[in-house]
């Protein structure tokens, strides 16, 4: 039987409506919810992400502030910019958009963000609190995974969960959030695969959360029958026709499409529940960021 495909867009819309009402109510109390991004230079991926943040701020009536120092800006100047944002009342949350140019260390910028404006939980203090289970802001993508699991009434206690990926911003915090809820966690990563052990861990998981950035990594043989599969990956791949040849656009260039890390069509025949890509975790991630921005604005204005 084919898996239940989780309608993440509907979940995101529902959260969006709720947050929009909350943002309006705060506005009436004189509280502005605002998000600022810090992008140094012109990195393509970071610019795309900035565009997306600007768009959902606009849609939701949230003030957006763009700090975009040039690629040759000094670390000191960017830290100064962050400190200015820390002092700006209409900025509730600050999101550093990486990668930064070589002369700027991630940690210098992240450490400069005020703890109560760190809405994607980059600061080591907030990550430490997350690890201890005393969460101020859980990072957006891991929160989106938890939101999906909660809405599907997951009992975390003792659940066998395998996370594929151990990055500081996705894999690790997802593992910690699940561990805080007393799940049994295996965190696998590229070295697990290189040691030939990935299947050993993924095939016993009732919940498989994949954040590797490798299209097609998870095939049905890596999935337990009936498992809940959450695909965090976002990859651009060439669109192929039935014979495996690239599909070309009007200009003769190969068309591309967005896929996750899971071979969706094949895995959905074995999994019990599955999230799609696109229209999956990413849609909810944006709303988790916005939820944190609202929370930050409330903290900063002493509102419960
Ligand atoms: P990253 O490159 O920092 O980390 C990738 C992780 O995957 C590493 O831990 C690595 O060890 C592991 N990995 C790589 N190849 C592997 C393999 N063959 N087998 C097992 N593990 C392997 O990436 P990231 O920032 O953690 O992002 C992961 C993916 O999630 C990317 O596709 C990214 O675009 C996507 N992402 C999605 C959202 C969202 O909201 N949906 C948000 C952030 C990132």
């Amino acid at each position: 039987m084919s898996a239940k495909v989780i309608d993440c867009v509907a979940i995101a819309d529902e959260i969006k409506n709720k947050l929009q009402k909350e943002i309006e109510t705060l506005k009436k109390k004189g509280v502005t919810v605002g998000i600022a991004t810090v992008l140094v230079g012109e990195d393509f991926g970071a610019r795309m992400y900035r565009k997306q943040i600007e768009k959902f701020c606009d849609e939701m009536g949230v003030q957006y502030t763009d700090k975009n120092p040039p690629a040759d800006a000094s670390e000191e100047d960017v830290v100064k910019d962050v400190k200015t944002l820390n002092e700006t009342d209409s900025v509730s949350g600050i999101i550093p958009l990486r990668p930064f140019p070589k002369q700027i260390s991630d940690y210098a910028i992240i450490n400069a963000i005020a703890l109560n404006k760190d809405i994607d939980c980059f600061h080591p203090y907030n990550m430490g609190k997350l690890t201890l289970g005393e969460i101020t802001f859980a990072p957006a993508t891991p929160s989106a995974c938890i939101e999906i699991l909660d809405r599907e009434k997951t009992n975390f206690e003792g659940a066998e969960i395998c996370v594929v990926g151990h990055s500081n911003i996705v894999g690790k915090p997802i593992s910690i959030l699940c561990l805080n809820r007393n799940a049994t966690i295996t965190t696998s990563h590229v070295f697990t695969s290189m040691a030939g052990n990935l299947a050993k861990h993924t095939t016993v998981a009732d919940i498989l959360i994949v954040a590797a950035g490798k299209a097609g990594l998870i095939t049905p043989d890596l999935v337990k029958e009936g498992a809940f599969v959450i695909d965090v990956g976002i990859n651009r791949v060439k669109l192929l026709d039935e014979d495996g040849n690239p599909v070309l656009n009007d200009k003769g260039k190969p068309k591309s499409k967005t896929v996750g890390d899971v071979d969706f069509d094949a895995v959905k025949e074995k999994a019990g529940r599955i999230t799609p890509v696109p229209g999956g975790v990413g849609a909810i991630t944006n709303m988790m960021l916005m939820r944190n921005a609202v929370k930050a604005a409330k903290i900063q204005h002493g509102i419960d």
Side-chain angles (χ1 to χ4, degrees):
M1 209 175 75
S2 197
K4 170 182 175 186
V5 179
I6 308 293
D7 190 347
C8 296
V9 173
I11 296 174
D13 282 346
E14 194 190 316
I15 300 168
K16 186 178 183 180
N17 288 337
K18 204 168 150 216
L19 286 174
Q20 264 171 325
K21 286 187 191 125
E22 216 174 338
I23 290 163
E24 272 307 308
T25 308
L26 285 170
K27 230 178 238 170
K28 285 182 191 140
K29 290 183 182 164
V31 176
T32 304
V33 178
I35 291 180
T37 57
V38 180
L39 188 160
V40 187
E42 296 296 326
D43 177 79
F44 179 77
R47 271 171 43 217
M48 294 305 286
Y49 188 28
R50 177 179 64 180
K51 203 167 147 191
Q52 192 187 325
I53 293 170
E54 190 173 0
K55 183 169 170 273
F56 73 69
C57 282
D58 186 46
E59 283 170 9
M60 296 180 72
V62 164
Q63 186 160 321
Y64 172 69
T65 306
D66 174 29
K67 274 276 179 233
N68 188 196
D72 61 355
S74 70
E75 186 175 279
E76 200 186 347
D77 282 345
V78 181
V79 166
K80 241 187 240 164
D81 281 340
V82 172
K83 289 190 173 161
T84 304
L85 295 172
N86 287 343
E87 299 304 320
T88 307
D89 208 34
S90 59
V91 172
S92 336
I94 302 169
I95 305 170
L97 298 179
R98 295 178 287 175
F100 293 136
K102 280 196 188 76
Q103 75 278 13
I104 295 172
S105 96
D106 283 7
Y107 286 106
I109 307 309
I110 286 167
N111 286 334
I113 297 174
L115 295 176
N116 64 8
K117 295 196 175 188
D118 177 32
I119 57 169
D120 210 4
C121 192
F122 284 114
H123 197 289
Y125 178 86
N126 283 329
M127 264 302 274
K129 281 186 70 182
L130 182 92
T131 306
L132 297 173
E134 300 161 12
I135 301 164
T136 308
F137 304 114
T141 304
S143 298
C145 297
I146 298 291
E147 183 74 26
I148 292 165
L149 290 165
D150 276 345
R151 282 174 182 255
E152 287 294 305
K153 308 208 181 319
T154 302
N155 178 11
F156 283 82
E157 290 179 0
E160 290 284 339
I161 302 182
C162 178
V163 177
V164 183
H166 72 335
S167 71
N168 286 339
I169 59 162
V170 189
K172 245 183 242 177
I174 290 174
S175 298
I176 293 167
L177 287 174
C178 295
L179 185 61
N180 285 345
R181 289 169 172 234
N182 301 319
T184 305
I185 296 295
T186 309
T187 308
S188 56
H189 40 77
V190 69
F191 292 94
T192 316
S193 280
M194 282 161 62
N197 289 332
L198 190 62
K200 186 164 99 184
H201 300 293
T202 57
T203 50
V204 293
D206 296 316
I207 297 167
L208 180 60
I209 305 176
V210 192
K214 291 268 172 267
L217 176 68
I218 302 299
T219 43
D221 53 310
L222 294 179
V223 177
K224 182 177 172 181
E225 189 84 45
F228 193 157
V229 180
I230 297 187
D231 191 355
V232 180
I234 300 174
N235 309 288
R236 289 296 288 174
V237 295
K238 281 188 184 138
L239 190 63
L240 302 177
D241 65 18
E242 281 168 6
D243 301 322
N245 299 314
V247 178
L248 305 180
N249 64 17
D250 299 345
K251 291 176 185 152
K253 296 241 166 80
K255 281 188 179 177
S256 60
K257 61 173 180 174
T258 301
V259 297
D261 293 343
V262 175
D263 180 350
F264 181 82
D265 290 334
V267 169
K268 110 170 159 348
E269 299 309 317
K270 191 169 184 190
R273 284 170 285 186
I274 192 167
T275 63
V277 178
V281 175
I284 303 176
T285 295
N286 294 339
M287 289 309 111
M288 297 294 103
L289 215 45
M290 197 53 92
R291 185 189 272 176
N292 280 350
V294 169
K295 184 176 182 185
K298 285 181 175 172
I299 292 172
Q300 288 150 32
H301 289 85
I303 299 169
D304 274 339

